[in-house]
Amino acid sequence: MAPTITHDVHSHAHEDLPGTVDLNAQEGEETHYGQALFPVPSADPNDPLQWSKFKKHMILLCCCLFSFLGNSALIGPSTYIGLWSVEFNVTPNTAAGLVNYPNLAFGFGSLLLVPCYRKFGRRPVMLSSMLIYAVGIIWASQAKTFDELMGARVFHAFGSGVCEALPVQLVNDIFFLHERGKKLGWYTVALCLGATGPMFSGFMLAGGYSWKLFFYVEFAFAGALLILAFFFVEETRFVRKVISPPATPPTAPADKEQAVSEREDTSSASIPPRKTLLEQLRPWSPIDRESEFFMMMLRSFTYLLVPSTFWVITTYGIYIGLCGFAFSFIFPLKIVQPPYNWPETNAGLFSIASIAGWAFALPLLPFVDTLAARLTKRNGGIREAEMRLGILLLPMVVAPAGQILFGMAAEKDLHWVAYMFGVAMTQWAGFFYFTVTLAYAVDSYTANLSEMLIIMNLGKQAISFGLSIEVLNWILKTGYAKVIAGAFTAVLVVNNLGVIVFMLWGKKIRIATSKTWLAAMHKRSAVAGETH
C-alpha cells in the first residue's frame, strides 16, 4: 500500500483570514467536486475524519436525537400552562414560568458543560448530560408541588442545555468543510422538531392521561438514547499532528524498490493502530491539562463583540423568544375560546403547521452547500464564508409575512387556517436562518469554537427568556396586532436584514475584526483541534 501523505491542517488557509479558505487541490490530494478536502485528514485511523460514514452518521443521529428530546422536553409542557395554573393555583403567566425559567437554565448549562467537554472530552460530558437530563425528567414526573416541579424542570433543562453545542462541535470534529452545511441542517431539523413537543403533550391530554405521562415518555426515550450513545459516540477530540520534514536530507537509496520499501516502513511505523472496541467504549477520555476551564468561560463573553456571532444569538433568540413562544402561548389560549371553541386537548395542534414548514424547507437544504460550492468554483477555488448567505434572501421576506398573518389572525379572529399558514411560513424561514447563520458564524471565526458555542447558547436563551417572560401579559394587555404583527415583526425585519449587511460587507468586517486585539487574544489562546 502506498504511504499516505499528511499536510498541515492549515495548509489551505488563505492569507490567514478566518472564513476564507483556499480549496484548490494540490497534486495527490483527495478532492470533492474538484476542490480539496478541508481539513486535511491525517493518516491516523483514530482521526474522526477517517471514520466510516456509518459511524459518523450514527454520532450525528445521537446528537440530533438529544437535541430533539432536550428541546421537546423544554417546550412540550407549554400545553399544560392552563392546567398547571388551576392545579397549583397560580396565574397563567406564573405557570408559564415552568417553561420560561427552564429555558434560561437551558442556556446556562452550556456555560459549565462546554468547558467540561473541552477539558474532559466530548464523550464523558455527553453521557453525563444525558444522565442528568433523564434524572430530571423522572423527577418532574413525580413532582407534587409547583416549586418541586420548577426545580425538576430547571435541573433537566440545565443538564440537556449542551445538546445544542455538542452537535455543532461534533459536526466540526468529524465532517469536512464542504459537508458541514448539510449536516448542520439535519441538526436544525432535530432542533426544530423539538418544538412539536406541545403536539405530543396535547395528544396525551386528548387521550385522558395526566400531564405526568409526557415526562414518562421522555424518560423512556432518554434511557434508550443513553444506551445508543454509549455504544456509538466515540470520543471525537483529536489533534492532527503534522509530519515535519527531516532536518537533513536523507541519503539516496541504492535502488527504487528499496526507496519504496523504506517509505512504507517509515509510514507504517509512524501510524498508530486503531483503538480497540473496549478503548472506544470507555466512558472517560484523557483530560486536557492545558485547557483553561474558568478563563474559557470568561473569554466566551468576548464573542459578543464578533458581529457574526452576535447575529446568530439575536437570530435564535428572536425566532425562539418572539416567534416560537408567541405561537406556543397564544394559539393554545385563543383556539379554546369563541369563535373556535376547540377542546383544550387539541391546543397543541399548531405544531402540525411547524412540521409542514420544516418539511417544505428540508428538500431545499442541499442548496446551502451547492450554492457555496458553485460560488467557490467561480471564485477560483477560494471559499468565502459569505457564499452560503444568498439562500436567506427569500426567507428574509417570508418570516415577517408569516408573523403579520399570525398576529392579524389572532386580532381579527380569522379562520384557524390563517394561524397555521402564519406559523408554517415563519418556521419555514426560521429553518434556513437557524442553519445558515450558525454555519456562517462557525466559518467566519475559526479560533476556539467551544467558546463561541458557549455564548451562542447562553445568549440566545437569555434573549428568548427576556422576550418571553412577560410576553403573555404584554400581548393580552396591548393587543395581538400591535405586539405580534407590529413590534415583533419590526424586530424580526431588522434582524433578517443582517443578511444584506453580511453579504455586502461581511468579508470587510472579518478583515477588520481579524486585526483587533480580540482576534489576537483568541489566536494566542487557540487550542489544537478547536479550529477548522
Side-chain angles (χ1 to χ4, degrees):
M1 179 184 296
T4 303
I5 300 174
T6 59
H7 304 265
D8 184 340
V9 295
H10 298 289
S11 63
H12 294 286
H14 185 69
E15 300 177 351
D16 293 326
L17 176 62
T20 302
V21 180
D22 186 350
L23 296 182
N24 287 298
Q26 305 298 318
E27 184 177 356
E29 289 186 326
E30 294 182 84
T31 62
H32 174 77
Y33 293 116
Q35 298 168 6
L37 296 182
F38 187 81
V40 180
S42 69
D44 190 338
N46 297 300
D47 184 343
L49 292 175
Q50 297 280 27
W51 292 347
S52 67
K53 287 186 178 181
F54 174 77
K55 186 175 185 68
K56 290 182 179 183
H57 286 108
M58 286 304 297
I59 293 174
L60 180 61
L61 175 64
C62 290
C63 290
C64 290
L65 290 175
F66 192 23
S67 180
F68 167 73
L69 290 176
N71 280 278
S72 64
L74 182 66
I75 198 173
S78 62
T79 306
Y80 303 132
I81 289 176
L83 190 151
W84 282 336
S85 176
V86 175
E87 181 171 338
F88 297 121
N89 194 27
V90 296
T91 65
N93 199 69
T94 301
L98 289 168
V99 176
N100 291 325
Y101 287 103
N103 178 50
L104 185 62
F106 193 76
F108 273 95
S110 294
L111 187 62
L112 175 66
L113 296 176
V114 171
C116 281
Y117 80 53
R118 196 167 85 172
K119 189 171 189 67
F120 303 108
R122 283 51 152 164
R123 175 175 169 81
V125 171
M126 185 173 189
L127 296 178
S128 299
S129 62
M130 287 180 177
L131 185 61
I132 294 172
Y133 163 73
V135 170
I137 286 293
I138 199 65
W139 177 16
S141 71
Q142 303 302 307
K144 294 179 174 59
T145 66
F146 180 86
D147 290 339
E148 187 179 2
L149 181 58
M150 178 68 79
R153 294 273 294 148
V154 168
F155 185 75
H156 81 67
F158 184 88
S160 62
V162 76
C163 75
E164 293 197 358
L166 268 174
V168 182
Q169 181 68 64
L170 268 60
V171 164
N172 193 70
D173 289 345
I174 67 180
F175 290 106
F176 294 102
L177 178 65
H178 71 271
E179 300 175 300
R180 292 175 186 166
K182 184 176 181 180
K183 305 309 177 186
L184 286 175
W186 285 109
Y187 150 69
T188 305
V189 171
L191 173 70
C192 292
L193 286 176
T196 62
M199 179 177 67
F200 301 118
S201 61
F203 285 154
M204 293 174 194
L205 274 181
Y209 299 103
S210 166
W211 56 266
K212 296 186 176 184
L213 178 64
F214 177 81
F215 294 105
Y216 288 137
V217 173
E218 285 274 351
F219 177 73
F221 281 105
L225 179 59
L226 181 59
I227 296 172
L228 189 69
F230 179 82
F231 286 104
F232 285 101
V233 181
E234 184 180 347
E235 177 58 57
T236 64
R237 185 178 61 189
F238 182 82
V239 179
R240 291 177 187 89
K241 298 179 180 179
V242 180
I243 299 178
S244 303
T248 58
T251 57
D255 55 64
K256 185 176 181 180
E257 289 186 2
Q258 181 183 352
V260 174
S261 176
E262 288 179 357
R263 286 200 301 269
E264 291 182 350
D265 291 343
T266 302
S267 178
S268 299
S270 63
I271 300 175
R274 181 72 169 100
K275 291 179 182 178
T276 65
L277 179 60
L278 289 178
E279 289 175 328
Q280 295 175 34
L281 293 180
R282 286 174 181 168
W284 65 87
S285 301
I287 298 176
D288 184 356
R289 305 285 180 184
E290 298 180 0
S291 178
E292 300 173 320
F293 190 88
F294 294 105
M295 281 303 298
M296 181 180 176
M297 292 183 182
L298 295 176
R299 276 199 307 266
S300 68
F301 287 91
T302 64
Y303 276 91
L304 289 171
L305 302 176
V306 178
S308 59
T309 304
F310 188 76
W311 189 34
V312 175
I313 292 171
T314 58
T315 295
Y316 274 75
I318 289 169
Y319 273 92
I320 294 172
L322 290 187
C323 305
F325 280 103
F327 298 156
S328 299
F329 292 165
I330 299 305
F331 185 84
L333 291 179
K334 284 288 295 183
I335 209 68
V336 298
Q337 300 173 3
Y340 310 105
N341 296 319
W342 284 22
E344 189 171 332
T345 53
N346 291 338
L349 291 181
F350 72 93
S351 297
I352 295 177
S354 297
I355 295 174
W358 302 322
F360 281 106
L362 192 57
L364 301 175
L365 181 60
F367 288 102
V368 175
D369 285 330
T370 301
L371 175 63
R374 289 182 177 178
L375 292 177
T376 300
K377 187 175 181 179
R378 185 182 302 176
N379 197 39
I382 306 300
R383 167 70 67 89
E384 302 287 357
E386 291 75 22
M387 289 178 174
R388 286 192 176 105
L389 296 180
I391 203 76
L392 293 181
L393 292 176
L394 182 58
M396 176 184 70
V397 178
V398 172
Q403 195 75 1
I404 291 173
L405 178 58
F406 185 89
M408 294 309 297
E411 180 73 20
K412 302 296 183 180
D413 289 331
L414 301 181
H415 195 278
W416 60 266
V417 172
Y419 293 94
M420 296 297 186
F421 267 94
V423 172
M425 290 167 65
T426 305
Q427 299 290 30
W428 179 86
F431 175 87
F432 289 104
Y433 266 86
F434 286 156
T435 302
V436 177
T437 59
L438 181 58
Y440 176 61
V442 171
D443 288 347
S444 295
Y445 208 78
T446 59
N448 296 335
L449 174 63
S450 298
E451 295 177 9
M452 183 165 60
L453 293 176
I454 291 175
I455 198 60
M456 279 184 183
N457 286 280
L458 178 58
K460 69 183 179 62
Q461 298 305 133
I463 290 176
S464 64
F465 171 79
L467 293 174
S468 64
I469 188 65
E470 286 293 327
V471 68
L472 194 54
N473 285 340
W474 184 25
I475 291 174
L476 295 177
K477 179 180 179 181
T478 309
Y480 302 103
K482 290 182 179 179
V483 177
I484 299 176
F488 285 8
T489 301
V491 173
L492 188 61
V493 167
V494 171
N495 181 79
N496 285 4
L497 286 174
V499 67
I500 303 295
V501 175
F502 287 106
M503 285 181 69
L504 295 178
W505 299 290
K507 185 173 182 178
K508 292 182 179 179
I509 292 173
R510 287 189 286 116
I511 293 173
T513 305
S514 68
K515 297 176 181 178
T516 62
W517 62 269
L518 180 65
M521 180 189 70
H522 283 286
K523 189 173 183 179
R524 288 193 302 269
S525 62
V527 176
E530 286 296 309
T531 64
H532 294 305

